[in-house]
Structures are given as C-alpha cells and as structure tokens.
Amino acid sequence: MGTYENQEMQTPEKREIQTPEYMHVPENRVAQKSSLKNKGLYLIIPILAIAFAEFMIYSGRPIEAMEVHAVTLLGLSLSMLYIKNEEIQKTYQALLLLPILRLVNLSMPAFYEETLYSFVFIYGLLTIPVTIALTDQGFTRERLGITFKRMWIYIPLSIIMGLLLGVGEYLIVETNYLIPDLSIPSLLRLTLVMVFLVGLVEELIFRSILQNRLEEFLGSRGSLIITSVLFGLMHSGYGNIGEVFYTLFVGFIIGFMFYRTRSLPLVTMIHGFINVFLFGVIPHLF
C-alpha cells in the first residue's frame, strides 16, 4: 500500500514513467517481453471475438452468442497450450473468464427470469475458475488489492457512490426489484448476494485479474481503457446501448479507484451497493 500512497501526490505522467515496485519483473521476463512481436494482435483477436458475441446478445440472438463465446473459450484455451510466451498465456487465462461468465449466465436453465437466487448459482459456480486464475496469475496480495486498510472511510464512501451510480443506471434501464420489500431481512439477503458474491467475483475478474494482467501488457492507461470497455460490453444483455456506455463509464471510475487505492474491498463494495440500490431500494421507491 505504501507504493500507492506515495503516488497520490504525483502526476499521471510521472506514474507512467516511474514503474511501481509491484510491477517490476525478473530480467528473463523482461527479455521475453522485448522479444515478443505484434503483441497487440494477440490481444485484439479475442477482444473482438468477445465484443462480437456481446453484440449478438444485444441483437437478441443469445444462441449465436453462446456459440461465439464457446469458440472463443476453446480458442483461448488451446492457444495457451501452443503459445509458449508466459505473458500471453496468463493474459488469455484472464480473458477466458469473460466467456465463462457469459456462458454460465446464459446456460442457467432453472431461471428464465432474473431472480436473486439466479445470481447465487451463477456467481457461486464462477468462484471455481476465478480462484484457479487468482492462484495461477502469480500476483501478490498487495497487487490483487487484498487489504482492509481505511475501511472506516471506504464503507461510507462506497454506499454514497453506490447510491449515486445506482440512480444513474436505474434512469437508463429501470430494473425490477429482486426482493419483495425493503424489510431488514430482505435488504440483508440482497446485500450479502450483491456485495459478497456478485460484486466480489466480478471485481476479482475485471480488476484483480484482468486489469492487473493488462497493466503488464499495455500499461496502466491501456489496461484501464480496455477493461472498462469489456466491462461495458458485458452488460449488453439489457439490449440498451445507453446501459453499455454507462457501465463502461462506471467501469472506468471503479477501475481508476482500484488503480489509485489498490483496495479490492472498496471497489467490491461500490459495485455491490450499486446493485443493492439498482435491484432493491430504488425500484421500490419509484
């Protein structure tokens, strides 16, 4: 955490020039990176495939989207066997979590309508590949954002941001509520699912794994932009282009806060409380 605290008084230009301590890599990996040519091509192909699949969902063609995501998942998995570059392998491992997320979501036959318990099944299953990726990526606990410092500030901050961003998203998609009322037990159930399951799993995927991995691949700015775009695209299921752009904006805010604070609990709570207000509090009030 000391690295990030010291960066707070620096300009973005200096942060880009002065590599943070947690991003230093061994000399053999530096040599491996320098010998890698056309590395952008390795990244653009799977990203375009994921974007195309999400466009299929946006267009109301979920079956075709599942087929594209399945092919993308298979392609990324097989590529990891044949591409010997470790940086590419781990980047592909981070990216394949997105097709898995969507395939699990679309393949859940027990819930044709969105319910609170559908999130439990979907994100409960996702903890398996996410845990495997976390252990294999090789990041330190500090890099992953696993710290509980400044929680006395982050808890109220996350509730306020969750309310403001949740109101903005509700004005775009006008979601239905997932709890029958605003009683304490109902709100507790919703908060547990949205913060400690949905928010935690998605922030592990997009921030702790994907943003961290792309930071080594593209630098901090590039990773923030690509991760935000993918975060927005993964909300195409609403069939609302405004929702895609809004969640891209939200993803940028959350990603930037993760970059500055390196606090997984903070971004998890912001994400979770957005959903608490979006799927619970606001629909009952309006």
Side-chain angles (χ1 to χ4, degrees):
M1 288 297 294
T3 302
Y4 278 84
E5 291 171 358
N6 293 336
Q7 288 179 348
E8 289 179 358
M9 299 302 295
Q10 299 177 2
T11 63
E13 290 77 13
K14 289 184 178 180
R15 286 200 302 274
E16 286 292 318
I17 296 173
Q18 299 177 357
T19 304
E21 182 179 349
Y22 69 82
M23 290 185 66
H24 286 301
V25 294
E27 292 183 2
N28 62 328
R29 290 189 61 187
V30 173
Q32 187 183 57
K33 289 182 180 182
S34 62
S35 64
L36 183 63
K37 297 180 180 179
N38 300 321
K39 66 179 184 179
L41 186 63
Y42 288 94
L43 192 61
I44 194 65
I45 293 175
I47 288 178
L48 287 178
I50 293 170
F52 180 69
E54 291 302 308
F55 176 75
M56 293 292 101
I57 295 176
Y58 178 80
S59 302
R61 294 187 281 178
I63 301 301
E64 291 87 344
M66 291 178 67
E67 293 172 349
V68 175
H69 272 309
V71 171
T72 304
L73 179 59
L74 181 63
L76 288 171
S77 301
L78 293 178
S79 297
M80 290 169 60
L81 297 175
Y82 289 97
I83 297 175
K84 301 304 180 182
N85 185 276
E86 183 182 357
E87 183 183 10
I88 297 294
Q89 289 177 340
K90 292 190 174 183
T91 302
Y92 279 9
Q93 184 188 56
L95 285 171
L96 64 79
L97 293 173
L98 302 186
I100 291 175
L101 168 61
R102 183 58 79 200
L103 286 170
V104 172
N105 191 335
L106 295 176
S107 302
M108 193 61 63
F111 300 98
Y112 292 99
E113 295 183 2
E114 193 172 63
T115 70
L116 183 60
Y117 297 103
S118 67
F119 287 97
V120 175
F121 280 91
I122 292 168
Y123 288 90
L125 288 174
L126 282 171
T127 58
I128 299 172
V130 169
T131 301
I132 294 172
L134 277 174
T135 56
D136 193 56
Q137 288 288 317
F139 294 129
T140 63
R141 290 171 61 91
E142 179 187 39
R143 183 82 181 267
L144 294 172
I146 302 176
T147 175
F148 296 96
K149 293 181 179 180
R150 299 180 177 178
M151 293 299 290
W152 62 278
I153 296 176
Y154 292 161
I155 290 176
L157 175 63
S158 63
I159 294 174
I160 294 171
M161 292 190 65
L163 172 60
L164 296 176
L165 295 173
V167 169
E169 189 167 2
Y170 181 79
L171 293 176
I172 296 173
V173 292
E174 295 186 0
T175 54
N176 295 321
Y177 49 79
L178 295 178
I179 51 177
D181 51 52
L182 294 180
S183 64
I184 297 299
S186 295
L187 286 173
L188 283 177
R189 285 196 299 270
L190 183 63
T191 301
L192 286 173
V193 171
M194 291 303 175
V195 175
F196 296 100
L197 193 57
V198 177
L200 177 59
V201 171
E202 289 201 4
E203 290 309 310
L204 283 171
I205 293 174
F206 283 97
R207 253 55 70 174
S208 292
I209 298 175
L210 188 56
Q211 185 170 325
N212 269 328
R213 179 52 54 192
L214 291 179
E215 252 181 27
E216 293 194 349
F217 203 87
L218 300 172
S220 58
R221 292 176 182 172
S223 69
L224 180 57
I225 292 171
I226 296 298
T227 305
S228 302
V229 170
L230 289 171
F231 186 75
L233 289 173
M234 295 301 290
H235 289 78
S236 62
Y238 289 97
N240 187 323
I241 192 64
E243 169 69 359
V244 173
F245 281 105
Y246 184 78
T247 50
L248 186 157
F249 167 72
V250 171
F252 186 88
I253 291 177
I254 295 177
F256 181 75
M257 295 192 71
F258 180 75
Y259 171 71
R260 290 301 303 269
T261 67
R262 229 58 185 189
S263 174
L264 177 64
L266 172 61
V267 295
T268 294
M269 288 188 297
I270 293 173
H271 191 149
F273 281 119
I274 289 174
N275 288 345
V276 169
F277 287 106
L278 181 64
F279 294 108
V281 177
I282 300 174
H284 275 290
L285 296 179
F286 294 95

